Every structure is written in C-alpha cells, then in structure tokens.
Amino acid sequence: MKSTEALRILAELTSFQWGMATSAQASMHGITRLDLSRLAEAGHLTRLAHGVYMDAGTPGDEFDDLRAAWLSTEPKRLAEERIRDLAGGVVVAGESATRLHKIGNFLASRHDFVSPTRRQSQRREIRYRQRALDPRDVALVEGMPTMTIERTLADLVEDLNDRSLVADALRDASHKRILDLDRLRNLLAPLAERNGFRKGDGVALLNRLIEIAGIDVDSLARLLARSPSYGTLAQIARQVANIG
C-alpha cells in the first residue's frame, strides 16, 4: 500500500486512541506489518510496544506505555468500542491503577490487568488476573477502564503482603478526594480474616490501614464526612481538632 494511503487510514484509526494503532487494526484495513515498519523507518510512526505504533507527531505523556499495553490486550478492537462496557473487558488494576490515580509510591515492573475471563501472556511486562468486577468498581481514568480508588486499595491488600504500602496509597487517596468508605469497607470484608481480623470485619481492617497511614485528624474528618456508618466519628474528629 502507498504510504500516503496508509497514513490516511492510520490517522482515522489513531484519532481516538491517543495517536496509537495496533498492527492488527492496521491489518484489518489492508496495512501490512511491512508497511508499518517502513513508515516507522521513515519517521512517521514510533513503535511503542509489540504490535503497537504511535503517530510520531502526537505528543506523548507518562501513560503511553500503559495505554499501548492495554490496546495490545485486545489488539483488533478499537478503544472507543471497548470502553462502552468498562467492567466487561480488560481493566487496569493493582499497581498500574495506582499510577493512573497517582496514589502510593509503587515502582511497577509490569502492567497489571484483570479480566472476567482467563487470559495468559507470553510478554513478561504484562500480568493478567481473572476477576469479575462490579461495574461500580470501574471508572474511566486517563481514557482506560480502571479500578476505582476504593477497588484499587482492596486489590492491593489482596495482592501485596506489605500493608504499609497500601496505607501510603490510602493516605494519598484521602488527600485527593472524599473516599466512599462504605464501599471500601465492603470490599475489604472478604480479606479481613486472612489479614488477622474476624471474618468479614472490613471495618477493623480499614481502621488498621488508617492507623498505619497516620492520617491526621483533619484528613480523617474529611475522609469520614460522607460515610453514614462513620458520621459520628467524623464529628468527634472535628471536635478533637478544635480542642487542639
């Protein structure tokens, strides 16, 4: 295919995908891998990951690698199609989700995804886990289906042995916005027993994380303010702050 025609088609494909397209998407429109290689050699495209290219004229950002990895998980489908059912496909999870939410201090060495169906990857930089997520626990973050902050925190508790890392992420999250503590408590409940608390006691596990996080009184009051279950404690926190 002529370069001008290939570039025209790629412009349409990349327009709603952060300037990116997969080789599988290109192939469906008659653009071969050889065509893509030649365009990359000519400086029109940049190869971001296996089977994922980016328009060389598109400004990049810190999430290009994660977006490229996410596109590669379902290489034939366009992003705009995939985000119509946020929880039904591949969702950014765990430490990768903390990058998008900008919480915690994780140095993720791989891209972490969950899917309702079992998946495997030969690529060492990608990890899949099988999870069926409630739609309310998935949000669009930086253009990708991503675990909500609450679901991300629970996922970290499940996946990591170091509660202090999770507590750091909780502290960051509490400073960013009001958390849905009722939802977080419910998500932590199935993890309580394995973490040394009574079975189903998500409240105790959450309280322990808050304690480890060392969240100050003012932040704690904001954190609890909108939670019916913790409303009284929020009032007490404010009173303590006023006394101090």
Side-chain angles (χ1 to χ4, degrees):
M1 179 181 291
K2 291 184 178 180
S3 295
T4 53
E5 178 65 9
L7 288 172
R8 183 189 65 79
I9 294 172
L10 286 171
E12 295 178 0
L13 290 175
T14 62
S15 58
F16 296 103
Q17 296 188 151
W18 318 286
M20 302 178 194
T22 68
S23 56
Q25 291 167 351
S27 178
M28 293 170 67
H29 290 79
I31 302 173
T32 66
R33 290 182 180 271
L34 180 58
D35 292 328
L36 293 172
S37 295
R38 286 173 174 168
L39 290 172
E41 290 174 2
H44 297 295
L45 300 175
T46 300
R47 186 178 182 274
L48 291 181
H50 179 73
V52 183
Y53 292 82
M54 185 174 185
D55 183 337
T58 301
D61 66 23
E62 62 187 297
F63 302 121
D64 284 346
D65 60 331
L66 184 54
R67 292 189 181 110
W70 179 74
L71 284 175
S72 74
T73 63
E74 294 187 73
K76 292 184 178 181
R77 299 180 66 198
L78 293 172
E80 60 182 317
E81 176 188 351
R82 294 174 61 180
I83 64 177
R84 290 173 191 160
D85 179 17
L86 293 181
V90 177
V91 175
V92 181
E95 294 182 27
S96 293
T98 68
R99 280 186 61 193
L100 297 179
H101 290 299
K102 298 182 179 180
I103 59 174
N105 187 27
F106 297 93
L107 299 175
S109 59
R110 56 190 173 184
H111 303 300
D112 200 358
F113 300 111
V114 298
S115 169
T117 57
R118 188 171 182 272
R119 287 172 169 266
Q120 290 182 313
S121 176
Q122 300 299 319
R123 297 164 57 190
R124 298 171 65 180
E125 73 272 21
I126 290 181
R127 179 177 72 146
Y128 289 115
R129 288 175 290 147
Q130 187 174 352
R131 296 285 188 280
L133 297 176
D134 189 308
R136 61 182 159 166
D137 294 326
V138 184
L140 200 62
V141 184
E142 299 292 341
M144 289 171 284
T146 305
M147 286 182 172
T148 61
I149 288 182
E150 291 81 7
R151 187 64 184 85
T152 298
L153 292 169
D155 193 43
L156 293 172
V157 171
E158 182 178 3
D159 196 40
L160 302 177
N161 293 321
D162 191 339
R163 287 187 203 164
S164 65
L165 291 175
V166 184
D168 288 344
L170 172 61
R171 182 175 57 250
D172 291 346
S174 70
H175 293 159
K176 290 177 71 69
R177 67 170 177 80
I178 298 296
L179 296 177
D180 184 346
L181 287 190
D182 289 328
R183 184 60 185 155
L184 180 53
R185 177 195 61 199
N186 290 336
L187 290 168
L188 291 174
L191 308 173
E193 188 173 18
R194 73 175 69 173
N195 281 276
F197 300 96
R198 288 186 297 110
K199 184 176 181 180
D201 195 349
V203 173
L205 178 51
L206 176 56
N207 288 343
R208 179 55 180 153
L209 290 173
I210 290 174
E211 179 184 354
I212 296 172
I215 299 174
D216 61 84
V217 173
D218 289 338
S219 296
L220 183 59
R222 291 196 301 271
L223 187 68
L224 301 174
R226 293 185 182 177
S227 171
S229 300
Y230 292 89
T232 301
L233 186 54
Q235 294 175 6
I236 293 173
R238 292 192 191 93
Q239 291 173 3
V240 171
N242 290 333
I243 293 173

